[in-house]
Amino acid sequence: MNTAQADAPTWPEEFAERYRAAGWWRGETFGRMLRERAAAHPERTAVVDPASDRRWSYRELDERADRLAAGLLARGIAPGDRVVVQLPNVAEFFEVIFALFRIGALPVFALPAHRETEIGYFCSFTEAVAYVTAAEHDGYDYRGLATTVRATAPGLRHVLIAGTDPGPFESLDAVRADAVPPGAAFDPRFDQPAPGDLAFLQLSGGSTGVPKLIPRTHDDYLYSLYGSNEICEVDADSVYLVVLPAAHNFPLSSPGSLGTLLAGATVVLCPRPSPEVAFPLIAREGVTITGLVPPLALLWTEAAATTGHDLSSLEVLLVGGAKFSEEAARRVRPALGCTLQQVFGMAEGLVNYTRLDDPEETVVTTQGRPISPGDEIRIVDDEDRDLPAGATGHLLTRGPYTIRGYWRAPEHNARSFTADGFYRTGDVVRLTPTGHLVVEGRAKDQINRGGEKIAAEEVENHLLAHPAVHDANVVGEPDPYLGERTCAYVILRAGAEPPRPVAVKRFVRERGLAAYKVPDRVVFVETFPHTGVGKISKKELRSTAPTD
Ligand code: OOB
């Protein structure tokens, strides 16, 4: 066990034994999984990257992962090392993560929207030895971001760039040049990790000042993929379109790109989520399944009415990440001609799906039921007491693919998990008589902006750094398209020159924060409403909707 493993709370042995005995933890690793698929069907297409017109077979992906792993090893990247991976939807994403899996180094999954503040934090908190990013994407130059990050993260030894113009950094192509010959016999330096070892660190949506890191193991994550493939009927003939950012847990594992590769099927990368980009790809590649957040699902159902592209290959549309309204859910089949599956999941583990043979009413009115018979669900009141069947309360969960604690966060873990290991999801739900969950609300201090999660405290801390700001509270308010958008209520310092709301937004953006975290609205107030015990009442703030 290396140091990274020691920092991840894990399942008590009694549970691990049970999960293995049930056949849920199979003793496989991602590195070996790809090796086996490549041996079984080398010429099948694994990854299609339409932006660069590349199609990689399973053999090619496997060989690339080997070569890159050899180059990374030669640069001193070792088992247990952390590597921050921030790539858009490009083929290299898979090459990089499988190379790291083979070494037993841990990808830390950043999103393309993250900027200096987030990337700098991931690099320093995880003591990352390397940062892998793109040269440029969607008009943004990641090499500039890398320059800033390298200056502030002393432990970062390597910045590696996907693409032909790495600027002052090394390109992945150069790393790969330290190759093992293609087709060489299995290299004993690789495939070191054990199935119970950590595979990667995923990001939590978060409700605290800094994002938390989620330690997932090969065994637990692979189990969620096997389960998802069965439920979503992903098999060797499936073609999965990655529309959302590839590193997010939903397009990665529900069943996502990794489920698709596990099934020996084809992953198609969508460079942008708009119908104009996605629809022609669906038609051309014969896409059978994809996953969207609710605002995109709305956009797609509207655009489908007038599209000239043939979408008839699409069999399943997964919608999740935020609550999908019943009205919108009803429109999916008539508009897109495919079956809707609602998915209510979390990077910490538990994933619920409506089933393909569920009645239409269940599909449009619930957020599904858990993947596994091993998923334990409790619905409790504010004092952790179990509620009667059908009542609405806090969702707690424990199971074979739900973490027992965040990485290097003992104090936070004491609050986010019960003493007997249940994760406090922060979601308010009820259970229907059929065992399906309905998400009724949220108790955590988080805004869900169309599936993008924003921790109120994180944004509040940035607002407090503004010289004219005395105090700040960030809450979600209803938005017809996003479901929720962010509103920052700000009390100015006495005597301070009042800034314009737009200047406050700019201030937050210029602190190097992902654009989706910049408040949609900034409202100046004299006081905040208080609860009976004198705490600030976010509930009341949410219900006061002054205009700015
Ligand atoms: C997915 O993962 P995260 O980690 O970005 O966010 C998890 C949170 C949940 O706790 C819940 O608050 C919210 O996102 N959520 C939903 C939802 N799906 C997720 N709220 C209402 N309805 C839904 N269908 O978002 C995620 C991970 C795997 C699969 C799908 C989504």
Side-chain angles (χ1 to χ4, degrees), residues 248-250 254 320-323 343-348 367 425 427 439 442 444 448 453:
H248 188 272
N249 200 60
F250 176 15
S254 298
K323 178 88 180 239
V343 47
F344 162 42
M346 52 207 72
E348 286 82 356
Q367 280 65 59
T425 65
D427 293 311
V439 182
R442 196 165 53 239
K444 54 193 166 190
N448 190 335
K453 314 302 178 331

Side-chain angles (χ1 to χ4, degrees), residues 290-370:
T290 188
L292 300 176
V293 288
L296 281 174
L298 277 174
L299 199 68
W300 281 35
T301 44
E302 278 163 25
T306 54
T307 187
H309 297 286
D310 177 9
L311 305 179
S312 61
S313 61
L314 196 62
E315 292 163 5
V316 174
L317 176 68
L318 292 139
V319 179
K323 178 88 180 239
F324 198 34
S325 74
E326 186 184 327
E327 305 77 71
R330 284 193 194 281
R331 278 185 242 145
V332 168
R333 185 186 288 283
L336 288 156
C338 63
T339 303
L340 168 68
Q341 270 191 300
Q342 293 211 41
V343 47
F344 162 42
M346 52 207 72
E348 286 82 356
L350 180 71
V351 178
N352 305 277
Y353 294 100
T354 57
R355 301 307 199 254
L356 291 171
D357 59 358
D358 274 342
E360 180 80 359
E361 280 312 294
T362 306
V363 173
V364 299
T365 58
T366 82
Q367 280 65 59
R369 56 188 172 83

Side-chain angles (χ1 to χ4, degrees), residues 237-241 285-290 313-317:
D237 296 323
S238 298
V239 180
Y240 180 90
L241 186 69
E285 300 294 336
V287 168
T288 61
I289 175 166
T290 188
S313 61
L314 196 62
E315 292 163 5
V316 174
L317 176 68

